[in-house]
């Protein structure tokens, strides 16, 4: 439902043309709640699905064949073409914290991001020692108990970011992006998962 919400929000606000958005088939899963229907009612329409942005050059994909296993690889070439990221976590409602490859990729890739998911996600990241961007955007969306309102407020911050001077934003947050990169690297070393990272991250990037 959060991915439906994001697509519909971006379509409503004319943001799809300036973004790289993929919303594909081929990623097995199921919806276990009625929030998608609530999202459709909220916008008065359904998303165009499947959807692959015309802005996406297929050569930027980590692999020519796109399967659900591609999610474990950092899309470095796509990152080079874009300024910010939106995390649409699999678990997106209530207060569940799911630290998956989605957030790991933006932390390791030193990305400024907005999170579209469960309540308290950013708070949990802070508890783990990561830093986010509450001085750049209004991250109080993270505490909003209503799922639809929280996603709306998160999308509003995504739109606010898109209107900011990209270079000024990154100059201000560069040190914390580097911190997040190092901190994730150290956590993975501590957990004995360095070899797993090495499999999925190019050697020239993995320090």
């Amino acid at each position: 439902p959060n991915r439906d919400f994001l697509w519909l929000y971006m379509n409503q606000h004319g943001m799809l043309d300036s973004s790289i958005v993929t919303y594909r088939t081929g990623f097995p899963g199921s919806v276990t709640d009625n929030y998608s229907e609530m999202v459709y009612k909220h916008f008065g329409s359904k998303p165009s699905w499947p959807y692959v942005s015309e802005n996406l050059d297929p050569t930027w994909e980590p692999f020519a064949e796109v399967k659900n296993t591609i999610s474990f690889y950092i899309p470095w070439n796509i990152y080079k073409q874009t300024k910010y990221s939106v995390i649409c976590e699999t678990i997106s409602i209530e207060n569940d914290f799911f630290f998956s490859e989605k957030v790991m990729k933006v932390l390791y890739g030193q990305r400024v991001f907005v999170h579209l998911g469960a309540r308290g996600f950013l708070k949990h990241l802070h508890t783990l020692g990561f830093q986010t961007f509450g001085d750049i955007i209004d991250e109080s969306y993270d505490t909003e108990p209503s799922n639809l309102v929280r996603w709306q407020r998160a999308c509003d911050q995504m739109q606010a970011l898109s209107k900011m001077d990209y270079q000024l934003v990154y100059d201000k947050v560069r040190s914390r992006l580097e911190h997040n990169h190092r901190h994730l690297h150290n956590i993975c070393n501590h957990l004995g998962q360095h070899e797993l990272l090495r499999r999925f991250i190019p050697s020239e990037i993995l320090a």
Side-chain angles (χ1 to χ4, degrees):
N2 57 331
R3 295 166 191 167
D4 287 343
F5 193 104
L6 177 63
W7 194 97
L8 289 164
Y9 181 99
M10 295 184 74
N11 184 56
Q12 183 182 79
H13 291 269
M15 301 181 71
L16 290 175
D17 290 343
S18 60
S19 306
I20 295 177
V21 178
T22 60
Y23 199 7
R24 294 181 167 110
T25 56
F27 290 75
S30 60
V31 176
T32 57
D33 55 68
N34 63 352
Y35 270 98
S36 283
E37 291 300 326
M38 294 173 63
V39 169
Y40 305 154
K41 184 176 180 180
H42 177 81
F43 285 98
S45 61
K46 292 186 178 182
S48 178
W49 182 84
Y51 178 86
V52 178
S53 171
E54 294 181 358
N55 296 325
L56 176 62
D57 184 330
T59 64
W60 299 340
E61 295 278 20
F63 296 98
E65 183 180 4
V66 177
K67 299 186 293 186
N68 64 326
T69 52
I70 204 172
S71 185
F72 295 100
Y73 293 82
I74 297 179
W76 294 110
N77 290 325
I78 292 176
Y79 282 2
K80 292 176 183 177
Q81 307 296 327
T82 54
K83 298 184 174 87
Y84 310 109
S85 293
V86 182
I87 303 173
C88 285
E89 198 44 274
T90 303
I91 299 176
S92 60
I93 62 174
E94 310 309 336
N95 301 304
D96 294 312
F97 179 65
F98 186 36
F99 190 75
S100 76
E101 83 286 351
K102 298 174 185 65
V103 66
M104 290 180 72
K105 288 190 290 189
V106 297
L107 292 171
Y108 202 88
Q110 301 188 44
R111 304 283 290 178
V112 173
F113 63 88
V114 173
H115 175 257
L116 208 70
R119 181 187 183 190
F121 187 90
L122 299 182
K123 180 181 179 181
H124 283 291
L125 281 185
H126 298 160
T127 301
L128 290 174
F130 295 102
Q131 301 172 6
T132 57
F133 318 104
D135 57 329
I136 303 293
I137 57 175
D138 181 3
E139 290 188 334
S140 65
Y141 68 81
D142 190 55
T143 64
E144 169 57 50
S146 166
N147 295 308
L148 293 182
V149 175
R150 183 172 62 258
W151 300 340
Q152 176 76 36
R153 292 177 60 189
C155 286
D156 289 345
Q157 297 313 304
M158 175 189 66
Q159 188 178 30
L161 262 180
S162 72
K163 297 176 180 178
M164 295 179 188
D165 185 304
Y166 163 74
Q167 195 58 56
L168 290 178
V169 169
Y170 269 82
D171 286 346
K172 187 170 184 177
V173 303
R174 194 171 308 279
S175 62
R176 76 190 76 166
L177 296 176
E178 293 170 352
H179 162 83
N180 288 340
H181 173 92
R182 290 193 304 270
H183 188 54
L184 180 60
H185 193 275
N186 291 336
I187 287 176
C188 289
N189 271 331
H190 179 70
L191 296 176
Q193 295 181 348
H194 186 69
E195 193 56 40
L196 182 62
L197 278 173
R198 193 175 293 281
R199 287 177 56 194
F200 296 130
I201 297 174
S203 58
E204 67 271 17
I205 295 171
L206 186 62

